[in-house]
Amino acid sequence: MDLLKALAWLFHYHRTCDRLLPPAKKDFSALVPDGRNCRVQYFKASVWEALLFTSSLATAAPALDAFQAKIEQGLRLIKTSEADPGLWVTEEEKMVNYTGKRVHFIDITDIEDLRVLQILSGAYTDSLRISAIDYTAVSHRTEANRYIGQLSTTGPQSWLHTLSNFYNRFFMSSYGTQSSAWLYNQTTSLVSPNPNITVTKFKHSYNQPSIIVRIPGFNPNLIIVGAHYDSFGGNTTARGPGADDNGSGVVVLMECLRVLAKSTYAPNNTMEFHFYSGEEGGLLGSADVWKSYKAAAKKVLAFVNTDMAGYLPSGMISTNDDYVDTGLTDPQDAYDTVNFTTVLRHAKFIMAFLIEANYLQAS
């Protein structure tokens, strides 16, 4: 697979002379469900075009060497849009010039799946195969309301206070590792009333793991809710409390988890709560998790990502495909900017989603 990546890089190099082209203004659907409002950007360099460009596998050897040399120099390959041919940057440049300036991107350095690369480039015309699922009208309000009535803001206020008190939760910092240990221990404690629930660490190439909580169902089909828990403060050493982005989304899931665990809820479909790391670094954590799930052929019936759930002046739940208005974000992202009435509203929505989705059936 390294050879295929090298061929893709070779095509990128010859077509662009290693220069970054202006990104296309285009919204994208959520192939990797993570990040602010399930956003994702795509990898352009077409592997198939690269294969056509090279007349033999031997030709790709210099490209493979060049690609590996970039990696050994500590560089990362990022893309800001489908049309963007890609750019090699350092970790510091990636975080300061892109994350810090709210330029949306995905780090595609470690993506090796050929079909995923084709899909992300727009070169693969067919959609991902999706099994038919009957998304019927909402019909389990009474059951959902029984659990919604047990939600409160007491836990979320306490948990978010702890999360935002970490100097930052940057995925490559010691604080990021410390926050992962706290989140693992806290979720383990929350689910203790139900011994059937498991909490696991999903390891990555960096030290901050993603955390997956699993409530086993009567069948293995998955209903998943997710939120990233890392934060970023403008540069890799800056203070980054990440209260709204995305401590708020994390505590929404934790509160739903608390209620379901306390009730020893036994779902039909297996439920998972995903707490992703490395989102601010280019959707790294979720990409690894979903790569693993794709390889294992896991069947996901429904997914909702929760991000920045602590500020919603409209008083209504909203879902977004991509970018948010920067006027709705606070650069300091401090604890006292979070509206816990809004957090509770999101928790009620997530709980209703989980209960309703529990009755989905795969064809």
Side-chain angles (χ1 to χ4, degrees):
M1 194 59 69
D2 284 344
L3 180 59
L4 292 172
K5 177 65 77 67
L7 291 171
W9 181 86
L10 179 65
F11 174 72
H12 151 71
Y13 181 81
H14 281 275
R15 287 290 296 271
T16 68
C17 298
D18 219 14
R19 291 182 292 109
L20 181 67
L21 298 180
K25 295 181 179 179
K26 182 176 181 180
D27 289 342
F28 304 113
S29 59
L31 293 180
V32 181
D34 188 12
R36 294 182 182 85
N37 304 309
C38 296
R39 69 168 184 270
V40 70
Q41 288 74 41
Y42 297 97
F43 176 48
K44 169 64 176 176
S46 166
V47 175
W48 287 119
E49 290 184 89
L51 286 168
L52 294 172
F53 182 84
T54 55
S55 58
S56 69
L57 295 181
T59 310
L64 176 59
D65 291 342
F67 188 92
Q68 189 60 38
K70 296 282 189 181
I71 301 297
E72 292 173 356
Q73 293 169 23
L75 299 178
R76 306 292 296 181
L77 185 59
I78 67 169
K79 296 184 61 63
T80 59
S81 72
E82 184 179 25
D84 179 1
L87 181 69
W88 289 97
V89 295
T90 65
E91 283 287 354
E92 183 74 17
E93 289 170 338
K94 179 177 71 173
M95 300 308 301
V96 173
N97 297 336
Y98 292 84
T99 302
K101 295 180 180 179
R102 301 187 184 280
V103 178
H104 303 299
F105 69 95
I106 183 170
D107 184 327
I108 54 87
T109 314
D110 301 321
I111 297 178
E112 297 178 340
D113 188 299
L114 174 59
R115 191 177 181 211
V116 170
L117 290 175
Q118 292 173 320
I119 293 169
L120 297 185
S121 73
Y124 196 91
T125 56
D126 293 339
S127 300
L128 286 169
R129 188 180 69 83
I130 301 175
S131 300
I133 298 173
D134 182 16
Y135 292 98
T136 58
V138 173
S139 57
H140 300 88
R141 290 183 176 87
T142 301
E143 182 181 0
N145 284 332
R146 187 162 64 246
Y147 296 100
I148 287 173
Q150 300 176 51
L151 299 168
S152 79
T153 61
T154 302
Q157 289 184 60
S158 174
W159 303 324
L160 188 56
H161 190 268
T162 300
L163 276 172
S164 57
N165 271 346
F166 285 102
Y167 182 74
N168 61 45
R169 301 189 301 277
F170 179 51
F171 72 100
M172 295 187 71
S173 73
S174 60
Y175 306 109
T177 306
Q178 292 166 20
S179 66
S180 73
W182 177 86
L183 184 57
Y184 176 83
N185 292 334
Q186 191 65 51
T187 51
T188 300
S189 176
L190 283 177
V191 304
S192 59
N194 185 346
N196 293 321
I197 300 178
T198 60
V199 183
T200 59
K201 296 179 181 180
F202 189 104
K203 295 183 178 180
H204 305 287
S205 60
Y206 48 91
N207 289 333
Q208 186 185 55
S210 294
I211 295 170
I212 297 176
V213 183
R214 181 182 179 90
I215 307 178
F218 292 107
N219 69 71
N221 296 332
L222 293 172
I223 306 299
I224 301 177
V225 290
H228 77 90
Y229 73 93
D230 60 312
S231 71
F232 183 68
N235 64 63
T236 55
T237 60
R239 169 84 169 113
D244 188 30
D245 186 15
N246 182 38
S248 62
V250 171
V251 300
V252 162
L253 300 195
M254 291 175 69
E255 176 61 7
C256 292
L257 183 60
R258 179 191 69 80
V259 170
L260 292 177
K262 182 180 179 181
S263 304
T264 60
Y265 184 72
N268 294 317
N269 296 312
T270 297
M271 293 182 177
E272 289 188 352
F273 293 69
H274 289 192
F275 300 92
Y276 300 119
S277 67
E279 185 268 354
E280 302 288 4
L283 314 183
L284 299 174
S286 60
D288 283 347
V289 171
W290 288 83
K291 172 185 176 182
S292 171
Y293 279 32
K294 179 178 182 291
K298 294 190 177 185
K299 181 173 289 187
V300 179
L301 301 187
F303 176 92
V304 168
N305 184 71
T306 303
D307 201 321
M308 301 176 73
Y311 179 72
L312 198 64
S314 67
M316 299 176 63
I317 292 289
S318 63
T319 58
N320 299 281
D321 293 327
D322 209 297
Y323 308 113
V324 296
D325 190 320
T326 55
L328 299 180
T329 62
D330 188 307
Q332 300 304 314
D333 203 1
Y335 179 85
D336 58 9
T337 66
V338 171
N339 184 324
F340 283 95
T341 299
T342 298
V343 170
L344 181 60
R345 186 181 299 118
H346 278 83
K348 291 178 178 179
F349 166 74
I350 291 296
M351 182 64 77
F353 163 78
L354 287 168
I355 299 302
E356 195 66 40
N358 180 50
Y359 293 93
L360 291 175
Q361 295 183 359
S363 60

